[in-house]
Amino acid sequence: MSQTPHPSQHDPQHSSSDPADGIRVLLVADPGLPTDRAGSIADSLQQQLDEQYSTTVHLDVSTSMLRLRPDGTLDLSQALEQARSFGDPDAVLLLTEIPRLHAGRPLIAEIFPEHDIAVVSCPTLGVLTTRRRILDVLMSCTLRMAPTQETRDASPYGRRWAQWEELAGPEEHQLLLGSGWIG
């Protein structure tokens, strides 16, 4: 597994997830375009996180390839391992170039609350206004993962072209689906 921390943001000495230290958010992007997009929005994401939370928010940005299992599902074990190397952050945001679908609709984001991980698919966000869309989706995911006990409203980051759905069952999680149907 290759990982490249953002030059000024990963501090190996600060690996505690003590609430007194604030909230720790890790943004991991696939190499290439997702890494470029993550780098271009990191400061804006940090600013929006700071505006939303009354405690300090530490944002780490890293590059690593999200892998698929042979059956086509996401392999989150690698993401969990990387999160541990960053001190078990309160929220992990994975920005991938893997196009994803659910029931014929674009799967923009998926939150796995049992792991505090959200996966965001760049191709499902289109080619226009992607910076704003990426920021909105990352903020919506972070707020929905609720890294603090404070209640936060994610609705300002909602868009008419996307809808959140709750999946029940053994692996309860949330999906952000695009409004368009494919296939």
Side-chain angles (χ1 to χ4, degrees), residues 97-111:
E97 193 137 50
I98 299 170
R100 303 183 67 216
L101 296 173
H102 177 78
R105 292 173 62 192
L107 179 53
I108 297 166
E110 186 170 14
I111 297 175

Side-chain angles (χ1 to χ4, degrees), residues 29-45:
D30 279 349
L33 186 58
T35 292
D36 293 344
R37 288 184 173 164
S40 75
I41 58 119
D43 290 339
S44 297
L45 180 59

Side-chain angles (χ1 to χ4, degrees), residues 4-6 53 71 82 101 126 138 146 157-159 166-167 175:
T4 308
H6 188 275
Y53 293 100
D71 66 357
Q82 185 167 12
L101 296 173
L138 292 175
Y157 300 101
R159 296 294 169 248
E166 302 272 340
L167 284 186
L175 305 175

Side-chain angles (χ1 to χ4, degrees), residues 66-145:
L66 181 61
R67 295 198 174 103
L68 295 175
R69 295 184 187 113
D71 66 357
T73 60
L74 296 174
D75 182 0
L76 295 181
S77 63
Q78 175 187 354
L80 292 168
E81 183 179 311
Q82 185 167 12
R84 282 190 287 276
S85 77
F86 277 81
D88 286 322
D90 301 292
V92 178
L93 305 168
L94 304 175
L95 190 58
T96 183
E97 193 137 50
I98 299 170
R100 303 183 67 216
L101 296 173
H102 177 78
R105 292 173 62 192
L107 179 53
I108 297 166
E110 186 170 14
I111 297 175
F112 300 90
E114 68 276 13
H115 301 300
D116 298 317
I117 290 178
V119 179
V120 177
S121 174
C122 280
T124 61
L125 295 170
V127 293
L128 300 175
T129 66
T130 51
R131 177 183 165 77
R132 173 85 258 143
R133 288 180 178 196
I134 289 172
L135 277 168
D136 287 347
V137 171
L138 292 175
M139 284 300 298
S140 183
C141 288
T142 304
L143 294 172
R144 287 175 173 278
M145 286 192 282

Side-chain angles (χ1 to χ4, degrees), residues 8-24:
S8 64
Q9 295 183 341
H10 181 235
D11 178 4
Q13 297 299 317
H14 186 86
S15 61
S16 167
S17 56
D18 181 354
D21 292 337
I23 302 168
R24 298 190 57 81

